[in-house]
Amino acid sequence: MNEPLPYPAAPVRHGSNSGQPMTRRDGRLKVTGAATYAADTHPEGLLHAALAVSSIARGRVSFLDVEAAKAHPGVVEVITPQNRPALAHDPDSKTLPFSFRMDALQNDRVRYAGQPIAVVVAETLEAATEGARLLAPRYEAEAARIGFGNGLPEPAPMVGVGAPGRAETGDLEAGFAAASQIVETGYETPAQYHNAMEPHAIVAAWDGDHLSIDMPNQAIAMSQASFAAFFGIPVQNVSLRSPFLGGGFGSKAILAGPQVLCILAARMLGRPVKLVLTRAQMYGPVGHRGATRQTLRLGTDAQGRLTALEHHAVSETSTFDDFIEPAANASLNLYASPAILARHDAMRMDTGTPGPMRAPGEASGSAALECAMDEAAQAAGLDPLTFRLINYAETDPISGKPYSAKELRACYMRGAESFGWAGRPLAPRQMRDENGLLTGWGMGSALFPAPMFQAEARAVLRADGSALVETSGADMGQGAWTALAQLAADGLGLDIDQVEFRSGSTDQPDGGIAGGSGHTATAGGALHAAGRDVVARLTELATADPESPLFGAGNSGVTARDGRLVRNDDESRSEAYADILARAGLEALEGTGRGARDPANAEARAMFSHGAVFAEVKVDPELGQIRVSRMVGAFAAGRIVNPRLARSQLYGGMIWGLSFALHEEAVHDLRSGRVMNADLAGYHVPVNADTPAMEALLIDEDDRFVNDLGIKGVGEIGITGSVGAIANAIWHATGVRVRRFPIRIEDVLGL
Amino acid sequence: MRPFHYSRPSSLAEALIDMRDALAAEPNSSAAFLAGGTTQLDLMKLEVSRPDRLVDLNALRGEAGHIRWDGTSLRLGAFARMAEAADHPDVRARAPMIAQSLSLAASAQLRNMATLGGNVLQRTRCAYFRDTSWSACNKRVPGSGCAALDGVNRAHAVLGTSDHCIATYPGDFAQALLALDASVVIAGPGGGRTIPFARLHRAPGTTPHLETSLRPGEIIAEFIVPAGGWFRRSLYLKVRDRQSYEFAVASAAVALDLEGDTVREARVALGGVATVPWRAREAEALLRGRKLTEEAARAAAQAAFTEAAPHAHNAFKVELGQETLVRALLQLATMETPR
């Protein structure tokens, strides 16, 4: 057993299991290599597929040397638009839930660089790869439209996943008229790619009209239904297994052309087929975070109170589908202002369609908002934290609704205290470290919605008093298996060691989607409810049985604890689950549960997780090298199910924020429209040496409205606030306000 | 993947014969040597390198994997691994610059595989060179043009460029060898020869595809680094976009022999900014005989970049390269060296 993390036990230890900093249930499997990922699947008769992808961004494929590819030893089939079998569902339609138009060889058009233009299937991966190369495509290329200067502007009535592109409250012009000071500024964020460690992979096998799929997937039941639609088979004929994901970050929640093509190849050839994208092929058909250009206008009165806040975002999307990064919506729910306007426009480019990438909209929007707030604080001569406290929102600014819970003030105070924010000089370029490096401190507020989706779960109490619980959840590395099992065990009143947890497959009840930071609340709620259902049934059995010591206690007169039902009015009278089942002659007792939000609460309250992030950076005054030396985040996100895993999630988010601020950018050649750094040597993420000492404080928050268990999410909030905190610290260190991400050497060189 | 012939000779002599025979049988052979594989295999996967034959030299470690001090020179076997040289006590104590240039390069995994000889022959990271779907790359396809001139060129060179190529030499170790006047012992089918390290790499000029002066079938066997008064007062300063596992945006390999605070001898080589390992002789000449003040360091840095020819995205490398050299010189001026 690992050393437990220091953590205040009293307010957090809600049940016997949740609140405990348990290590990952799948940890041993993973560190020993025993955990099998999709690409580790090797069914008998397996064929290997390789994609050929477009090197132009716009035009059409005029020639593929299919003969040469087919002639290569080991190549079994070459699939192009000429011979691609029909699909039951049009890949260019958008009728399936949460779906994007995809490229599945429906024609010879090329609409972005990296688009699949053929699939080569062979007996070996090597033969398939060589076959794909031998296709030697020729194109009729048209001029690529890449970059904001070359894109096609368009209004954006809808942004993100079904959110309105414009939201407002109050009288904006009156607000600016009343301002004693107006700060107008703009920020640019680049296209970024998810770059999960595990590439998108799929192994598809058909047995008659039954389809079995192994793939990493964040939305198992939804994908099952979508694949069934593509291939015209009943939903129950699709079996999908996704026990482990080597990272998803949103890119594995949405189906993409390569997956459909692999399944199609398997059906066409009557053998199982495996397709694993190369790292470079992940820069195209599987989504990315679209670039943004954002402008903000902040009016403040003489006391530093916001009188008006306007946030406009132009977000990149593809020419053929919409995912408009809802960046401006970051300004809707955080700071009190009598007038707020958030609006969006789209810029169409010859790129793969962007998609949700960890904190979609919130990350890039928060980056710009938190920097603009820093500029406004600077203009008002106020400490950035003081300025935020002056503009603290007691109710949700855009809707006027009360928050379900909001411990942001405690986050500010605890974070500032731990960081040592007090005494920070207001002016920039005042601090140097012992090596003469310019030192700066910056901060940002963190905010992320606390959504819930729909999930179902099943719990089966067994004759020996142990239990099996099931839901089709997704462990992306975040530790879902562990946190969900903790909640399931608490629902059952069992120790977690008595609970067998099964997840990650369509064999289980629909666990909903692992996204939006809502998985633990939703699937965990369903599991907990399933356990409660079992306990209720067990209670009915025992309290109605004259042989039981619980007889007559009534169905609210007992408590489930450690595998026993205990009388509330006399704790000495209790009975073990196994004994109750045995006397009732039952081999097992099954319960079910649902996870979903109470619609009345959803209507009445604004529900968010909050946080505050503080960062210290060091900048070499002559060489311009920027390094983050310290980060402290304090987060209030309802009940923390597992503080160890929650901290890891928050660290991960904060590191991602560092990555956003200083490293990540897909660089395009404007002539070809191609990403020029489509590998992990060229597309930078921070290495360990870039990652500073970090602290993630968990602030207690009792949220009685968000759901029965008081659970919010921690998966994405860590990015928000962090980007701005680092950028603001760079300004504080150097006096230079860099308005384009990532911030690099040349931005602060020789200043 | 493409099929290729593979052999693993057990001695240097056998390796030379293997390659000689391959070249004799097929004069246009694309046969290549394989050492640590950290560049060669990478480029084969990218289809940039398409050898019909690989002669694997990894059995030569016993024969040419040595690292030793012979009383006047450091002798570095070409088949020693980067990590072995970086951690070797003689290297660390006698020429810190060499150890630093090696340990600041790549990742621990790569340093454990890559050989010293292979490292100095590492090919450029120019994305237009590495992506074969770009038709214009004079280095990859002679006479085809250069897509980087008007493309994405933040990482590209400002020194030693031509209208035909601006690709940066990516390595670190080579700058140390160049600054220290190392020589290269070369084994060849017609016998051995030794050349100054400065003559190993060729600036692109009109023939960017010709990167070194090695003749077909030759193998680098050893580097000899002669000791000098500047040996210990040396350092390799590397500026990069992240703290590890990243190529230099600018680097400086500098060694000084000081008499009091006056420069008796200066050795300066620059990395990350040039098409080849770049010796800044103008800077050395300016420093020689002068007191090492910040002013002198700046004058030297300016001289080193007089000929700089930046492109759209890399103009900052001129200033950064100068600041890097100034920092290296001033750090060396105050460095404590064991006598």
Side-chain angles (χ1 to χ4, degrees):
Chain A
M1 185 73 191
N2 290 329
E3 188 94 352
L5 294 172
Y7 191 78
V12 178
R13 187 170 172 161
H14 300 274
S16 59
N17 301 288
S18 66
Q20 300 303 304
M22 291 170 181
T23 53
R24 290 160 200 269
R25 285 164 78 86
D26 47 341
R28 181 176 293 272
L29 285 176
K30 285 184 176 167
V31 298
T32 57
T36 51
Y37 291 79
D40 296 326
T41 314
H42 303 277
E44 192 153 337
L46 181 68
L47 291 169
H48 298 263
L51 289 182
V53 303
S54 165
S55 61
I56 65 164
R58 181 178 168 220
R60 57 176 288 271
V61 179
S62 57
F63 174 77
L64 291 167
D65 196 346
V66 174
E67 293 312 309
K70 275 191 164 168
H72 187 73
V75 170
V76 174
E77 185 58 273
V78 177
I79 308 173
T80 72
Q82 306 299 318
N83 66 338
R84 191 268 259 162
L87 288 164
H89 178 82
D90 176 6
D92 267 325
S93 81
K94 272 176 83 80
T95 49
L96 297 171
F98 210 43
S99 68
F100 286 68
R101 295 193 174 93
M102 63 172 69
D103 297 283
L105 304 179
Q106 53 266 47
N107 55 49
D108 63 5
R109 280 299 298 175
V110 172
R111 34 198 195 186
Y112 58 91
Q115 176 187 316
I117 54 173
V119 182
V120 178
V121 189
E123 297 288 347
T124 64
L125 174 62
E126 290 78 7
T129 305
E130 180 65 3
R133 190 193 67 77
L134 288 167
L135 288 172
R138 291 205 290 269
Y139 305 94
E140 282 168 18
E142 297 159 40
R145 298 158 302 189
I146 283 282
F148 282 88
N150 306 313
L152 310 169
E154 199 173 284
M158 302 298 277
V159 296
V161 183
R166 182 184 174 97
E168 61 193 308
T169 185
D171 184 337
L172 200 71
E173 287 321 309
F176 283 119
S180 60
Q181 166 198 288
I182 296 174
V183 166
E184 185 161 1
T185 185
Y187 287 85
E188 294 177 27
T189 67
Q192 302 171 343
Y193 283 77
H194 303 77
N195 271 309
M197 188 68 85
E198 177 204 25
H200 293 68
I202 178 167
V203 178
W206 288 87
D207 180 4
D209 63 351
H210 283 70
L211 168 63
S212 96
I213 302 168
D214 289 275
M215 68 182 294
N217 192 289
Q218 294 174 243
I220 289 171
M222 204 167 70
S223 300
Q224 177 190 32
S226 297
F227 283 133
F230 270 108
F231 294 94
I233 55 176
V235 171
Q236 64 273 15
N237 284 17
V238 178
S239 156
L240 193 158
R241 288 178 297 268
S242 177
F244 302 104
L245 293 84
F249 315 120
S251 76
K252 291 168 181 167
I254 291 160
L255 302 188
Q259 296 146 359
V260 170
L261 290 170
C262 180
I263 299 169
L264 198 58
R267 189 166 68 175
M268 190 175 170
L269 299 169
R271 288 170 65 180
V273 177
K274 177 191 295 193
L275 173 64
V276 182
L277 297 195
T278 65
R279 178 64 53 185
Q281 288 170 351
M282 292 165 72
Y283 291 72
V286 293
H288 66 282
R289 193 196 303 281
T292 69
R293 289 215 170 153
Q294 304 177 51
T295 50
L296 293 102
R297 207 151 58 113
L298 288 75
T300 48
D301 66 15
Q303 284 74 47
R305 289 178 305 215
L306 286 167
T307 59
L309 169 57
E310 183 181 11
H311 193 160
H312 176 224
V314 183
S315 303
E316 162 222 322
T317 191
S318 71
T319 57
F320 57 95
D321 207 348
D322 305 330
F323 186 86
I324 318 295
E325 184 83 356
N329 289 350
S331 287
L332 295 178
N333 311 104
L334 186 49
Y335 297 115
S337 173
I340 299 175
L341 170 63
R343 61 191 184 89
H344 297 82
D345 285 295
M347 186 66 79
R348 295 202 183 276
M349 301 182 199
D350 295 312
T351 172
T353 307
M357 175 162 144
R358 203 174 185 186
E362 290 86 3
S364 36
S366 162
L369 172 64
E370 294 305 317
C371 289
M373 285 291 286
D374 210 60
E375 292 194 60
Q378 177 199 345
L382 288 167
D383 172 82
L385 176 54
T386 307
F387 182 61
R388 284 168 175 81
L389 287 168
I390 290 172
N391 290 292
Y392 195 86
E394 300 293 350
T395 56
D396 179 33
I398 194 67
S399 68
K401 293 176 186 175
Y403 292 102
S404 59
K406 178 174 178 176
E407 294 294 342
L408 176 57
R409 199 172 266 117
C411 295
Y412 285 141
M413 295 304 141
R414 289 275 306 281
E417 183 186 19
S418 180
F419 183 84
W421 181 259
R424 170 188 176 276
L426 265 191
R429 222 179 163 96
Q430 301 296 306
M431 302 194 294
R432 293 214 180 211
D433 74 357
E434 65 279 11
N435 298 315
L437 296 176
L438 297 168
T439 302
W441 292 352
M443 67 152 305
S445 305
L447 177 89
F448 198 84
M452 277 185 83
F453 309 104
Q454 307 271 335
E456 289 163 10
R458 177 166 53 231
V460 180
L461 184 66
R462 296 154 163 162
D464 64 357
S466 71
L468 165 68
V469 296
E470 296 182 303
T471 191
S472 65
D475 198 311
M476 305 189 273
Q478 84 280 45
W481 275 24
T482 311
L484 293 179
Q486 286 175 266
L487 290 167
D490 281 356
L492 284 158
L494 285 173
D495 186 87
I496 195 167
D497 293 339
Q498 292 296 304
V499 175
E500 182 186 346
F501 177 73
R502 288 189 194 157
S503 195
S505 153
T506 47
D507 293 345
Q508 294 126 14
D510 178 2
I513 66 169
S517 298
H519 196 38
T520 307
T522 311
L527 286 160
H528 192 271
R532 300 309 305 164
D533 190 34
V534 168
V535 168
R537 289 166 195 270
L538 203 58
T539 303
E540 294 294 340
L541 284 177
T543 57
D545 181 353
E547 301 287 305
S548 169
L550 307 174
F551 178 67
N555 60 9
S556 60
V558 298
T559 298
R561 197 160 69 212
D562 297 331
R564 303 182 75 82
L565 292 182
V566 184
R567 277 187 84 114
N568 293 341
D569 58 2
D570 179 0
E571 294 220 343
S572 70
R573 293 163 73 187
S574 69
E575 191 167 31
Y577 294 173
D579 294 340
I580 299 170
L581 287 184
R583 219 180 29 251
L586 291 175
E587 278 300 305
L589 187 60
E590 181 173 326
T592 58
R594 267 187 85 236
R597 174 152 293 148
D598 175 348
N601 285 341
E603 182 55 34
R605 308 266 163 183
M607 300 177 180
F608 294 91
S609 296
H610 293 90
V613 181
F614 299 81
E616 177 185 83
V617 304
K618 305 282 177 83
V619 181
D620 188 306
E622 286 87 30
L623 303 180
Q625 281 194 138
I626 303 166
R627 300 289 184 257
V628 179
S629 47
R630 268 188 319 132
M631 287 181 85
V632 173
F635 300 92
R639 175 199 286 204
I640 298 302
V641 178
N642 182 322
R644 181 194 305 268
L645 297 174
R647 276 202 192 87
S648 291
Q649 282 282 74
L650 294 166
Y651 291 146
M654 290 162 71
I655 294 166
W656 201 306
L658 190 167
S659 193
F660 191 126
L662 300 183
H663 296 291
E664 287 189 53
E665 176 179 21
V667 180
H668 292 86
D669 184 290
L670 297 183
R671 300 164 299 183
S672 69
R674 217 176 308 162
V675 176
M676 295 305 295
N677 56 341
D679 61 46
L680 289 174
Y683 184 97
H684 282 182
V685 296
V687 296
N688 280 343
D690 294 296
T691 306
M694 293 203 143
E695 196 175 354
L697 301 165
L698 303 172
I699 305 300
D700 291 327
E701 184 178 75
D702 183 13
D703 192 328
R704 297 167 185 209
F705 301 101
V706 69
N707 48 51
D708 290 347
L709 301 173
I711 296 171
K712 293 174 173 174
V714 291
E716 295 164 271
I717 188 172
I719 307 178
T720 70
S722 296
V723 185
I726 291 167
N728 295 335
I730 290 169
W731 170 79
H732 192 238
T734 63
V736 182
R737 188 69 73 176
V738 183
R739 295 187 174 86
R740 180 193 172 281
F741 293 100
I743 301 172
R744 297 184 298 189
I745 289 172
E746 55 265 46
D747 297 317
V748 294
L749 182 65
L751 296 164
Chain B
M1 73 184 256
R2 295 159 179 277
F4 56 86
H5 186 274
Y6 171 87
S7 66
R8 188 181 165 99
S10 56
S11 69
L12 192 54
E14 209 181 300
L16 292 169
I17 292 167
D18 265 18
M19 186 59 88
R20 187 195 63 194
D21 291 352
L23 295 173
E26 175 51 75
N28 294 322
S29 168
S30 55
F33 290 117
L34 174 70
T38 56
T39 288
Q40 182 64 43
L41 298 184
D42 197 21
L43 293 178
M44 284 171 70
K45 288 178 195 169
L46 293 171
E47 297 273 330
V48 172
S49 172
R50 291 179 284 189
D52 51 23
R53 171 184 291 265
L54 273 185
V55 179
D56 183 344
L57 304 179
N58 281 290
L60 276 53
R61 293 192 63 199
E63 202 175 339
H66 57 278
I67 297 166
R68 67 167 183 272
W69 169 248
D70 70 4
T72 57
S73 298
L74 270 177
R75 302 188 75 109
L76 307 173
F79 291 89
R81 309 281 158 168
M82 290 172 74
E84 292 168 346
D87 296 339
H88 198 279
D90 272 330
V91 177
R92 292 170 72 95
R94 294 180 189 280
M97 174 209 282
I98 294 180
Q100 289 159 4
S101 73
L102 289 163
S103 60
L104 292 174
S107 63
Q109 292 89 335
L110 290 167
R111 294 193 296 271
N112 284 337
M113 287 300 292
T115 64
L116 297 183
N119 179 259
V120 303
L121 300 177
Q122 184 179 3
R123 312 289 302 275
T124 183
R125 302 296 298 187
C126 172
Y128 300 98
F129 168 74
R130 288 169 61 82
D131 180 346
T132 58
S133 60
W134 286 93
S135 55
C137 174
N138 287 323
K139 201 179 261 305
R140 186 160 35 75
V141 184
S144 59
C146 173
L149 289 172
D150 298 315
V152 176
N153 50 36
R154 176 179 184 266
H156 286 70
V158 295
L159 292 171
T161 58
S162 74
D163 292 343
H164 301 269
C165 185
I166 58 171
T168 304
Y169 173 77
D172 297 297
F173 175 51
Q175 276 75 248
L177 293 177
L178 182 65
L180 296 173
D181 275 332
S183 49
V184 189
V185 179
I186 298 168
R193 62 188 180 116
T194 299
I195 62 168
F197 187 83
R199 294 240 309 274
L200 182 63
H201 292 88
R202 299 171 52 148
T206 57
T207 54
H209 60 291
L210 302 175
E211 294 183 348
T212 74
S213 56
L214 289 176
R215 296 168 192 150
E218 286 189 332
I219 297 172
I220 296 177
E222 188 183 34
F223 302 102
I224 302 175
V225 192
W230 49 84
F231 225 41
R232 283 182 174 154
R233 191 180 293 279
S234 72
L235 67 77
Y236 184 73
L237 178 63
K238 182 173 179 178
V239 179
R240 46 187 162 172
D241 287 320
R242 63 180 167 191
Q243 191 67 30
S244 180
Y245 189 36
E246 174 58 354
F247 298 93
V249 183
S251 73
V254 184
L256 291 179
D257 184 9
L258 295 182
E259 185 166 18
D261 52 5
T262 300
V263 177
R264 197 184 285 147
E265 188 62 64
R267 301 301 182 83
V268 178
L270 303 174
V273 292
T275 54
V276 289
W278 190 259
R279 183 79 177 260
R281 292 194 185 275
E282 313 80 354
E284 294 175 6
L286 269 176
L287 290 165
R288 212 168 282 128
R290 284 185 71 174
K291 283 199 193 316
L292 186 51
T293 59
E294 178 165 353
E295 191 196 351
R298 292 209 169 273
Q302 210 154 30
F305 282 85
T306 310
E307 304 287 314
H311 285 76
H313 307 130
N314 66 358
F316 75 100
K317 282 193 172 187
V318 178
E319 181 181 356
L320 180 63
Q322 291 176 354
E323 292 293 345
T324 305
L325 178 51
V326 169
R327 174 69 59 82
L329 286 166
L330 296 181
Q331 270 187 18
L332 279 186
T334 57
M335 181 172 148
E336 305 268 338
T337 59
R339 277 286 122 191

